[in-house]
């Protein structure tokens, strides 16, 4: 019912609907692009076209546009008017889409026309225009007519609309390898077929065809379609190898993986594949079915790679089809696994050194290059060892990028990237000052592996392209001399057999070697060639050459600070601090590439070492290149204890901290040249701040604080213009200006950083945790976590300022024994793996630990630093120790290896009770015996005159005073046997080191008659006892010439050398060196 003069409600609704229809629905289009699917985003609202303004236009927003226009998927989301400025109103502002909306205006926005935005903020979109592409009608999935899908319809691409670069992008996107050809296809006939109207103009490096520039063609006619032929190899991998960089070559063809059958597969072609897989260089092509058979699929093809450094996918290939592969023709390779290093402008094994960061190759400065790093690179490139490093060669051209990286290698690393790397603060150089190297070459057929350098270790020989073992049952010093001569490692110091636990694996190349000693190569000696395991008792052989002598700093938190240790005669030992000063320390720092000495430390500042003390009374002028070139006592002669071990702090020692806030927020300071100083913030990005936070274990986020609430520094301002990338996890790897104490113009440029994370609190250990200092002992740098007591749990070690775990690869009872002994927890009960006490956090510092079980410290065990992802925390190693501290003297290297403990070594409660009761009974008996003895002494005292020498009193006397007294009284070095016996049991350290009644241990080390550290004593000459080592390692040693026989510490080297082969009995015996145990004692005589 209606009222006269008024409209009813239904009529009003109809009028409103009519008005809305007359105004028109909202519309969307892309304008001024190359086609309907690219251009400036425009929206029609209230019958007027306008633009979209957004400073944060994302790919999700663009995806809604492309889907709404049925233009496939979004390729790019652009802002700031990439397709020119529009006109009219700004209809939408700050659009925020999830990506699944059906229309752009259904996304979140501030409202229609709510903000007038300048048109230079107009947004744009590039859509793929198609949702799929395919090759159809060909012989395989990787050849045929090119078609693209728009909405639900397939359209053919015209032959004139693509070129070879476009075909290359297409083949790569379809995982069909390389483009082989673009052919004129079939005639379209009457023109009823649907034709794609865009012409593609690809550069060739696009990952998808939709990313290529396109041009719209209005004509819908086309004479021929485009047929594309791809090589068919869309992927490359190595299968069934021990690593990802070794194995059988497999190719992806048409979506199926198959074994490559290549009749002409050779090392250059294999090298191209290794380069392509970022696996370094090809080391060898194993024979036969070394990596087993693959699946049923076989792809036949012959690659021809001639250009050095090319990738296999870029090499010409002859495709022979899908067929069976004869035995031995499947492609195989073992790559080095070390990417990012090469030699250019020379030969395969000599030239200018280049390394790669990302995709950019660059040279290194010769001032940052040394022989140890060169040795590692030569080995990495399968080029033997470094013969020389040329610097300042005028033949070096002046072109190319230069990196500032400096590599500090031990010399035994597998890859250059395994070495300590420091870039921060290094000065740059010109391309003409590039580092170079001449390697021994791929023809080198001999090497020493598993040692501390390329001049000591197990002897291995390359025969038929494979490294093989050398076994011998009569190995002597003359054989070793030939090995050292061939490797240019000086003279042989030691020839030995490896213990069974260190025996090699794989084929055997030589056995029963007999050298005269003057041969230039080992292969020139008489020998037996064999590839089978011998039936006799031949063992793997090793050599220590004089060129193996090394120096290192131990127990500092980082390189360039620590206890000085020398590697000589196959053994690491320390240096005594007698006369140790800054001149001596300067030689050490210079030798290690650590700048100048800041301080020379004495009195075991970096903790006491163990084992041998190699040098004493060192007196350097400062000009020597090696510490052992300085004046000193003879090797092994000393009158010191390990409490006198020398240490150094060098100028290149680096440390980082945040101060005046907390551990993870504050003013950034770096320790350099012995002083803490600030870092300037000029050109510093948030990525650099994040790198600092990662470096300090303060999370993965951080920002540069601008409020300067952490105060101003007072020291030098060391660095400026630090530039890090996302690949850097340590500040030391970032580029910067060179070190300078006044790098900032003023204190307002100092860097203040706040990290998002906090350092994780570690589980309390049974000892004080290592601080971020340089004075942690070996004992403090080892702990077990997660067990029920302090003698069982996950093994963790302190390294580079943080706790980390140990991988369980090769983890066994010998390793666990050393850990338990060092922790004072008795022998090991079990060596546990697979994170038996839970997974750790932080870094995994070591893998493949190989302890013999007799080491005094876990750090003496051979191990491999973990790099990459070869191990994760589910493989953390752990131990369960007995918890019963041993009362015998500490083992030396001459001890027998400990027999592996089993679960039967656990002590049950009844046994423990019996031990306690027995101890109480012994105590009661001792008290009674003492009372009886006292009573008898009183009776004798009443009858006998007092004898002042009946019981000698021994006390510690100052060393200088003792010598004066010796001169005054005229004491000689001859003592009675009775007095000698007394001195052994009244030694000041006997209670601490040997315990009551403990048997004095004997060492086989030369010059180590004072190995346990006895000091300030005049030793009486005495007979030497024969000692027969039952270790698996038999030593045949050369005789170093020594003219100085200092009576403070006499050295008796083995003289078992003759022109003939040594007998089995002679090798099993060696002279013992007596340690009388004198310490700070002067015997009283009548």
């Amino acid at each position: 019912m209606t009222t006269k003069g008024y409209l009813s409600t239904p009529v009003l609704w109809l009028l409103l609907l009519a008005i809305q229809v007359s105004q028109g629905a909202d519309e969307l289009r892309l304008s001024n692009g190359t086609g309907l699917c690219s251009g400036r985003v425009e929206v029609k609202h209230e019958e007027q076209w306008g633009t979209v303004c957004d400073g944060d236009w994302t790919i999700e927003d663009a995806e809604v546009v492309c889907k709404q226009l049925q233009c496939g998927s979004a390729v790019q989301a652009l802002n700031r008017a990439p397709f020119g400025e529009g006109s009219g109103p700004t209809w939408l502002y700050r659009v925020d889409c999830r990506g699944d909306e059906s229309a752009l205006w259904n996304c979140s926005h501030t409202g229609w026309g709510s903000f007038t935005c300048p048109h230079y903020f107009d947004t744009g979109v590039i859509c793929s225009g198609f949702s799929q592409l395919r090759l159809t009608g060909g012989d395989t999935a990787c050849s045929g007519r090119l078609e693209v899908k728009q909405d639900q319809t397939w359209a053919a691409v015209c032959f004139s609309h693509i070129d070879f670069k476009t075909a290359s992008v297409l083949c790569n996107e379809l995982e069909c390898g390389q483009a082989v050809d673009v052919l004129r296809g079939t005639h379209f006939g009457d023109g009823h077929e649907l034709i794609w109207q865009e012409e593609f103009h690809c550069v060739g490096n696009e990952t998808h065809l939709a990313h290529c520039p396109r041009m719209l063609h209005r004509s819908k006619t086309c004479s021929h379609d485009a047929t594309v032929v791809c090589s068919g190899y869309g992927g490359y991998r190595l299968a069934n190898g021990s690593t990802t960089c070794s194995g059988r070559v497999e190719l992806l063809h048409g979506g199926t993986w198959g074994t490559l059958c290549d009749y002409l597969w050779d090392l250059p072609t294999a090298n191209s594949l290794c380069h392509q897989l970022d696996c370094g260089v090809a080391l060898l092509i194993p024979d036969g079915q070394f990596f087993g058979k693959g699946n049923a699929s076989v792809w036949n093809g012959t690659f021809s790679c001639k250009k050095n450094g090319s990738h296999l996918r870029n090499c010409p290939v002859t495709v022979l089809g899908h067929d069976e592969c004869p035995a031995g023709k499947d492609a195989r390779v073992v790559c080095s696994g070390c990417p990012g290093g090469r030699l250019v402008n020379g030969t395969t094994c000599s030239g200018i050194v280049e390394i790669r960061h990302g995709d950019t190759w660059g040279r290194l400065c010769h001032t940052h290059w040394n022989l140890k790093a060169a040795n590692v690179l030569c080995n990495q490139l399968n080029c033997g060892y470094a013969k020389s490093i040329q610097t300042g060669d005028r033949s070096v051209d002046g072109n190319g990028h230069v990196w500032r990286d400096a590599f500090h290698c031990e010399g035994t690393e597998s890859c250059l990237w395994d070495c300590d790397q420091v870039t921060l603060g290094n000065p740059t150089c010109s391309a003409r000052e590039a580092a170079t190297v001449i390697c021994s070459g791929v023809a080198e057929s001999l090497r020493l592996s598993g040692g501390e350098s390329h001049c000591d270790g197990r002897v291995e020989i390359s025969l038929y392209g494979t490294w093989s073992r050398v076994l011998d049952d009569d190995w002597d010093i003359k054989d070793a001399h030939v090995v050292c001569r061939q490797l240019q490692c000086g003279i042989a110091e030691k020839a030995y057999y490896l213990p069974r636990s260190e025996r090699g694996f794989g084929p055997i190349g030589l056995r029963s070697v007999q050298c005269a000693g003057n041969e230039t190569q080992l292969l020139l000696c008489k020998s037996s060639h064999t590839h089978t395991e011998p039936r006799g008792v031949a063992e793997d052989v090793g050599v220590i050459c004089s060129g193996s002598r090394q120096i290192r700093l131990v127990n500092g938190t980082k390189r360039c600070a620590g206890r000085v240790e020398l590697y000589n005669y196959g053994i690491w030992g320390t240096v005594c601090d007698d006369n140790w000063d800054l001149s001596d320390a300067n030689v050490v720092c210079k030798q290690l590439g650590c700048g100048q000495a800041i301080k020379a430390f004495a009195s075991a500042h970096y903790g006491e070492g163990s084992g041998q003390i190699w040098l004493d009374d060192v007196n350097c002028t400062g000009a020597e290149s090696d510490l052992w070139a300085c004046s000193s006592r003879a090797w092994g002669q000393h009158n010191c204890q390990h409490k006198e071990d020398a240490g150094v702090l060098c100028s290149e020692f680096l440390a980082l901290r945040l101060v005046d806030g907390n551990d993870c927020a504050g003013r950034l300071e770096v320790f350099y040249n012995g002083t803490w100083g600030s870092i300037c913030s000029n050109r510093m990005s948030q990525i650099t701040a994040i790198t600092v936070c990662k470096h300090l274990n303060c999370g993965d986020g951080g920002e540069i604080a601008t409020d300067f609430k952490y105060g101003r520094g007072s020291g030098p301002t060391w660095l400026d213009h630090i530039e890090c990338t996302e690949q850097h996890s340590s500040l030391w790897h970032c580029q910067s200006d060179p070190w300078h104490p006044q790098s900032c113009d003023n204190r307002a440029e100092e860097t203040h950083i706040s990290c998002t994370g906090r350092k994780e609190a570690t589980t309390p250990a049974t000892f004080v945790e290592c601080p971020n200092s340089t004075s942690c002992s070996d004992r403090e740098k080892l702990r077990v976590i997660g067990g029920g007591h302090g003698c069982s749990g996950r093994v963790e070690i302190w390294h580079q300022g943080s706790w980390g775990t140990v991988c369980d690869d090769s983890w066994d009872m010998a390793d666990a024994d050393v850990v338990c002994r060092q922790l004072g927890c008795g022998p090991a009960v079990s060596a546990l793996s697979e994170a038996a006490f839970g997974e750790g956090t932080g870094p995994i510092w070591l893998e493949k630990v190989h302890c013999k079980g007799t080491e005094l410290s876990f750090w003496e065990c051979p191990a491999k630093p973990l790099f990459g992802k070869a191990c994760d925390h589910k493989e953390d190693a752990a131990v369960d120790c007995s918890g019963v501290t041993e009362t015998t003297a500490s083992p030396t290297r001459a001890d027998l290896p400990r027999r592996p403990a089993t679960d039967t070594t656990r002590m049950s409660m009844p046994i423990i009770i019996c031990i306690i009761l027995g101890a109480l009974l012994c105590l009661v008996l001792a008290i009674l015996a003492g009372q009886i003895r006292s009573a008898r002494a009183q009776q004798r005292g009443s009858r006998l005159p007092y004898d002042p020498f009946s019981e000698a009193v021994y006390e510690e006397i100052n060393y200088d005073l003792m010598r004066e007294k010796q001169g005054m009284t005229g004491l000689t070095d001859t003592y009675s046997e009775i007095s000698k016996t007394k001195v052994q049991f009244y030694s000041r350290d006997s209670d601490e080191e040997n315990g009551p009644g403990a048997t004095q241990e004997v060492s086989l080390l030369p010059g180590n008659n004072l190995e346990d550290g006895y000091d300030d004593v005049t030793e009486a000459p005495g007979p030497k006892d024969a000692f027969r080592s039952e270790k698996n390692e038999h030593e045949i040693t050369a005789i170093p010439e020594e003219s100085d026989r200092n009576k403070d510490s006499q050295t008796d080297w083995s003289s078992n050398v003759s022109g003939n082969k040594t007998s089995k009995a002679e090798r099993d015996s060696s002279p013992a060196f007596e340690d009388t145990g004198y310490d700070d004692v002067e015997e009283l005589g009548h």
Side-chain angles (χ1 to χ4, degrees):
M1 180 177 179
T2 62
T3 304
K4 187 177 179 180
Y6 294 93
L7 294 175
S8 64
T9 300
V11 173
L12 289 172
W13 280 111
L14 288 173
L15 287 174
L16 290 173
L17 180 61
I19 293 172
Q20 178 68 28
V21 171
S22 66
Q23 288 180 345
D26 297 325
E27 297 180 29
L28 180 70
R29 72 182 180 188
L30 296 176
S31 299
N32 209 32
T34 58
L36 297 176
C37 292
S38 66
R40 181 176 58 251
V41 181
E42 294 187 351
V43 177
K44 185 179 182 182
H45 181 69
E46 295 180 354
E47 293 298 313
Q48 185 177 4
W49 286 99
T51 61
V52 176
C53 175
D54 198 334
D56 191 23
W57 184 248
T58 66
I59 197 70
E60 288 80 9
D61 307 328
E63 190 69 34
V64 174
V65 172
C66 295
K67 182 171 62 177
Q68 184 176 348
L69 294 174
Q70 296 185 353
C71 281
S73 59
V75 175
Q76 284 183 285
L78 308 169
N79 52 26
R80 293 185 178 270
F83 296 99
E85 296 182 14
S87 60
T90 301
W91 280 128
L92 296 179
Y93 177 63
R94 288 191 175 179
V95 179
D96 186 12
C97 300
R98 298 186 306 273
D100 57 355
E101 294 85 353
S102 59
L104 184 64
W105 40 83
N106 291 341
C107 301
S108 172
H109 59 87
T110 58
W112 290 98
S114 63
F115 182 75
T116 300
C117 185
H119 281 294
Y120 55 77
F121 285 110
D122 287 346
T123 60
V125 168
I126 298 177
C127 305
S128 65
F130 48 86
S131 56
Q132 286 180 263
L133 54 87
R134 69 183 181 185
L135 295 176
T136 182
D139 296 332
T140 69
C142 291
S143 64
R145 184 173 69 174
L146 173 59
E147 293 183 350
V148 296
K149 186 177 184 182
Q150 183 180 19
D151 196 10
Q152 299 299 318
T153 306
W154 288 96
V157 177
C158 185
F159 171 73
S160 61
H161 291 175
I162 69 169
D163 56 12
F164 193 80
K165 290 182 179 178
T166 303
S168 295
V169 175
L170 170 69
C171 294
N172 180 62
E173 183 176 354
L174 293 176
E175 292 187 341
C176 282
Q178 304 303 302
V180 175
D181 205 353
V182 180
L183 304 174
R184 186 188 301 270
T186 58
H187 194 276
F188 275 115
D190 56 10
H192 289 296
E193 296 88 347
L194 186 62
I195 301 171
W196 185 253
Q197 299 180 29
E198 290 181 323
E199 180 178 335
F200 295 92
H201 295 278
C202 299
V203 176
N205 57 1
E206 297 87 351
T207 56
H208 294 82
L209 188 62
H211 296 174
C212 296
R214 286 169 277 177
M215 181 179 296
L216 181 65
H217 278 258
R218 299 296 179 182
S219 174
K220 296 186 178 181
T221 61
C222 181
S223 60
H224 295 81
D225 60 14
T227 297
V228 177
V229 179
C230 305
S231 67
Y233 300 133
Y236 302 78
R237 71 183 183 187
L238 297 175
N240 209 34
S242 57
T243 68
T244 57
C245 290
S246 65
R248 184 181 60 254
V249 181
E250 290 190 348
L251 306 178
L252 180 63
H253 177 73
T256 303
W257 287 99
T259 300
L260 170 64
C261 186
D262 190 337
Y263 287 73
L264 302 178
W265 184 255
D266 56 12
L267 206 60
T269 306
N271 204 46
S272 298
L273 178 60
C274 292
H275 279 298
Q276 179 179 324
L277 297 177
D278 208 21
C279 283
V281 299
L283 298 180
L284 59 95
I285 299 175
D287 295 329
Q289 299 285 335
F290 195 82
F291 296 111
K293 283 190 174 182
N295 55 26
S297 298
V298 174
W299 303 123
N300 282 279
T302 301
F303 288 87
S304 300
C305 299
K306 297 181 180 179
K307 184 179 179 181
N308 188 24
S310 62
H311 288 176
L312 190 64
R313 61 170 172 261
N314 298 327
C315 300
V317 57
T318 303
V319 181
L320 301 179
H322 180 76
D323 203 350
E324 296 294 327
C325 188
K329 296 302 180 181
D330 55 316
R332 308 164 301 279
V333 65
V334 175
C335 305
S336 66
C338 300
R342 69 183 183 186
L343 298 175
V344 298
N345 292 6
T347 66
T348 304
C349 292
S350 66
I352 300 172
V353 178
E354 286 193 347
I355 62 171
R356 190 186 71 228
H357 283 297
D359 295 327
T360 305
W361 287 92
R363 302 178 179 185
L364 294 178
C365 297
H366 73 80
T367 54
H368 307 157
W369 190 241
N370 57 62
L371 197 60
K372 283 188 176 181
N375 266 323
V376 174
L377 179 62
C378 289
N379 178 66
Q380 171 181 328
L381 298 176
N382 196 30
C383 285
Y385 59 90
K387 285 188 172 182
S388 67
I389 51 174
Q390 299 175 339
T391 57
D393 193 339
R394 294 182 179 178
S395 64
V396 176
D397 63 66
N399 301 318
H401 189 84
V402 178
W403 297 113
R404 302 183 186 183
D405 303 71
F407 294 92
H408 303 281
C409 305
E410 297 293 334
T412 57
E413 295 86 352
S414 301
C415 303
L416 198 60
W417 301 105
D418 295 344
C419 304
D420 285 338
Q421 176 193 354
V422 177
T423 306
L424 192 74
N426 289 341
T428 187
C429 65
S430 70
R432 290 186 177 275
E433 300 173 295
T436 60
V437 64
I438 298 177
C439 305
S440 61
V442 293
E444 188 62 54
S445 60
L446 190 68
R447 71 181 181 187
L448 298 175
S449 64
E452 296 291 329
S453 70
H454 79 283
C455 290
D456 70 300
R458 181 175 61 246
V459 182
E460 295 181 352
I461 192 166
S462 177
L463 298 175
Y464 313 107
T466 302
W467 286 105
S468 307
R469 300 155 61 195
V470 175
L471 303 187
D472 204 329
D473 55 4
D474 201 13
W475 183 252
D476 66 6
I477 198 69
K478 290 186 291 185
D479 306 327
H481 274 311
V482 176
V483 171
C484 295
R485 182 181 298 112
Q486 183 174 347
L487 294 177
Q488 297 184 3
C489 286
I491 62 172
E493 291 184 340
K494 177 179 174 184
Y496 65 95
Y497 297 104
L498 274 77
R500 183 169 296 275
S501 61
E502 298 181 20
R503 288 186 61 181
F505 300 95
I508 300 168
L510 293 178
R511 62 173 304 196
S512 302
V513 179
Q514 293 182 350
C515 299
N518 56 0
E519 294 88 348
T520 57
Q521 293 186 16
L522 192 65
L523 284 175
L524 299 179
C525 302
K526 295 180 181 179
S527 63
S528 171
H529 294 257
T530 180
H531 290 275
T532 60
E533 190 74 32
R535 297 182 179 180
V537 293
E539 303 173 74
D540 289 82
V541 297
V543 170
I544 296 175
C545 306
S546 59
S548 65
R549 194 167 289 165
Q550 305 280 320
I551 187 171
R552 69 182 181 186
L553 298 178
V554 177
N555 237 22
T557 55
K558 298 176 181 69
R559 60 177 297 271
C560 294
R563 182 176 63 246
V564 181
E565 292 194 353
L566 302 177
Y567 184 74
N568 183 51
Y569 203 72
I571 300 167
W572 283 105
T574 62
V575 176
C576 183
D577 64 8
D578 292 347
N579 300 323
W580 186 254
D581 59 17
L582 207 59
S583 296
D584 309 324
N586 257 326
V587 175
V588 172
C589 294
K590 182 174 62 176
Q591 186 175 350
L592 291 171
C594 287
Q596 301 297 313
I598 298 299
K599 192 167 184 179
F601 289 105
S603 303
H605 177 82
Y606 292 103
E608 296 183 16
S610 59
Q612 180 70 304
I613 299 176
W614 276 126
L615 291 182
D616 189 12
D617 292 330
V618 178
N619 185 16
C620 301
T621 64
E624 295 86 353
S625 58
D626 303 308
L627 186 65
W628 42 83
C630 301
S631 172
S632 70
R633 293 195 186 197
W635 284 90
Q637 291 190 2
H638 63 87
N639 58 357
C640 303
Q641 303 179 45
H642 280 296
K643 66 184 180 182
E644 302 171 78
D645 286 341
V648 299
L649 173 65
C650 305
S651 60
E652 297 295 328
F653 174 79
L654 301 176
L656 195 68
R657 70 181 182 184
L658 293 170
V659 297
D660 293 340
N662 55 51
D663 286 343
C664 294
R667 187 178 67 256
L668 183 61
E669 289 191 346
V670 63
F671 186 86
Y672 173 75
N673 201 28
T675 306
W676 285 101
S678 301
I679 292 178
C680 315
S681 59
N682 295 312
R683 291 216 309 252
M684 186 175 289
S685 65
Q686 187 180 9
I687 293 178
T688 300
I690 292 173
T691 303
V692 169
C693 294
K694 290 179 179 179
H695 184 118
L696 294 173
N697 295 320
C698 286
D700 295 330
E703 59 184 13
I704 301 172
T706 56
D707 50 10
F708 300 101
K709 64 180 180 180
Y710 301 115
R712 294 187 175 186
S714 58
T717 54
W718 280 126
L719 289 170
D720 198 6
H721 298 140
I722 299 179
E723 298 179 6
C724 301
T725 67
E726 294 179 352
Q727 287 72 39
H728 293 141
S729 59
S730 169
L731 191 68
W732 313 141
H733 300 164
C734 302
Q735 304 276 336
S736 75
D737 287 349
W739 296 99
H740 192 278
Q742 296 179 346
S743 294
C744 300
D745 292 334
N746 55 69
R747 293 288 174 181
E749 296 179 2
E750 290 179 325
T751 304
H752 296 239
I753 288 180
S754 177
C755 301
T756 58
R758 291 292 179 267
K759 291 185 178 180
E760 297 183 3
T762 54
T763 306
T766 57
F767 51 89
V768 178
E769 205 174 272
C770 262
N772 190 15
S773 69
T774 59
S775 58
C776 302
S777 67
D778 283 357
R779 170 65 179 81
E780 290 174 324
K781 292 164 68 174
L782 180 70
R783 70 181 185 185
V784 289
I785 295 295
H789 52 85
C791 289
S792 65
R794 180 178 61 254
V795 178
E796 294 190 356
I797 59 176
W798 178 268
H799 181 60
Q800 293 186 351
S802 64
W803 288 103
T805 61
V806 177
C807 184
D808 63 8
D809 292 350
S810 305
W811 187 254
D812 57 17
M813 284 298 297
D815 308 323
D817 263 334
V818 175
V819 171
C820 292
R821 183 187 305 116
Q822 187 171 339
L823 293 175
C825 290
V829 174
S830 56
L832 306 171
S833 58
E834 297 181 352
F837 287 94
E839 296 182 14
T841 57
I844 302 174
W845 286 126
L846 294 176
E847 67 169 337
K848 296 182 180 178
V849 179
H850 293 289
C851 298
K852 298 177 182 178
T854 60
E855 292 86 352
L856 299 180
S857 170
F858 187 63
W859 317 112
E860 297 179 16
C861 300
K864 178 182 178 183
L866 181 64
F867 292 92
K869 299 182 179 178
C871 194
D872 54 39
H873 282 296
K874 67 183 179 182
E875 302 172 78
D876 285 343
V879 297
D880 187 10
C881 309
S882 65
V884 179
T885 305
E886 298 176 357
T887 59
T888 59
S890 300
T892 67
R893 294 180 183 271
D895 289 335
L896 294 175
R898 186 185 303 279
R899 185 181 300 277
T902 63
D903 290 339
T904 59
T905 61
R906 289 186 182 272
M907 304 182 71
S908 62
M909 185 57 68
I911 295 176
I912 294 175
I913 293 174
C914 290
I915 292 174
I916 294 173
L917 292 176
L920 291 174
L921 179 59
C922 291
L923 180 60
V924 172
L925 292 175
I927 293 172
L928 290 175
Q931 290 177 347
I932 294 172
R933 183 177 179 183
S934 177
R936 291 180 177 176
Q938 290 177 1
Q939 292 176 2
R940 289 197 305 269
S942 62
R943 298 191 301 268
L944 298 175
Y946 175 70
D947 182 0
F949 295 101
S950 62
E951 297 214 357
V953 178
Y954 294 85
E955 61 183 74
E956 185 169 334
I957 302 172
N958 182 273
Y959 179 73
D960 294 329
L961 293 178
M962 183 189 76
R963 293 206 173 189
E964 289 180 15
K965 185 174 179 180
Q966 285 179 343
M968 292 170 59
T969 59
L971 291 177
T972 67
D973 293 338
T974 304
Y975 299 91
S976 66
E977 292 299 317
I978 297 176
S979 298
K980 287 174 59 180
T981 304
K982 283 186 178 182
V983 171
Q984 290 181 4
F985 289 97
Y986 280 92
S987 174
R988 175 168 59 86
D989 291 330
S990 61
D991 291 339
E992 298 174 4
E993 300 185 10
N994 296 334
T999 303
Q1000 186 67 33
E1001 297 198 359
V1002 183
S1003 169
L1004 285 176
L1005 301 180
N1008 199 28
N1009 57 319
L1010 295 176
E1011 180 184 356
D1012 290 332
Y1014 300 116
D1015 191 17
D1016 302 342
V1017 65
T1018 301
E1019 180 185 357
K1024 293 178 170 53
D1025 299 325
F1027 181 86
R1028 182 180 184 273
S1029 171
E1030 297 183 16
K1031 292 173 63 176
N1032 292 328
E1033 179 177 346
H1034 308 295
E1035 304 178 2
I1036 305 95
T1037 62
I1039 309 176
E1041 295 184 2
E1042 295 183 18
S1043 59
D1044 181 16
R1045 298 287 183 175
N1046 191 299
K1047 71 179 181 180
D1048 286 331
S1049 179
Q1050 293 184 342
T1051 303
D1052 193 2
W1053 293 79
S1054 171
S1055 59
N1056 185 19
V1057 178
S1058 66
N1060 301 322
K1061 295 276 184 176
T1062 56
S1063 66
K1064 185 71 174 177
E1066 287 173 329
R1067 285 200 313 274
D1068 288 344
S1069 65
S1070 60
F1073 300 95
E1074 180 177 290
D1075 191 340
T1076 61
Y1078 298 159
D1079 185 22
D1080 297 343
V1081 175
E1082 184 177 16
E1083 183 178 3
L1084 301 179
H1086 294 286

